[in-house]
Amino acid sequence: GMCIRDSLLGFGIADGKIPEPIGGANHDPQTATEAFHRVITQGLNELSTLDGEQLVKQRYLKYRNIGAVRELA
């Protein structure tokens, strides 16, 4: 079935997901922290290539399209 995480990704609310260690972050906080750092750093690096106008336009479109109904072909 579809979980909440997949719904958030599918509706464009979340940009991605951070992998969690087997057993959960509480079982391996070091690996969880490293994964969090890697994903967040990658996202910030991608965003830093945009100028302010591009960033605002991209974010506007993202939030404008959340929940938009799409027709199936």
Side-chain angles (χ1 to χ4, degrees), residues 38-69:
R38 185 175 50 256
V39 171
I40 296 300
T41 300
Q42 179 183 0
L44 289 173
N45 286 340
E46 290 171 8
L47 291 174
S48 70
T49 65
L50 303 173
D51 65 33
E53 187 175 319
Q54 291 172 312
L55 183 58
V56 169
K57 183 177 181 179
Q58 182 185 52
R59 300 316 284 175
Y60 172 80
L61 292 173
K62 173 189 173 66
Y63 289 109
R64 181 77 175 102
N65 287 316
I66 288 176
V69 178

Side-chain angles (χ1 to χ4, degrees), residues 18-47:
I18 299 173
E20 193 170 21
I22 295 173
N26 58 318
H27 286 93
D28 190 353
Q30 181 65 37
T31 299
T33 302
E34 290 168 359
F36 179 82
H37 182 267
R38 185 175 50 256
V39 171
I40 296 300
T41 300
Q42 179 183 0
L44 289 173
N45 286 340
E46 290 171 8
L47 291 174

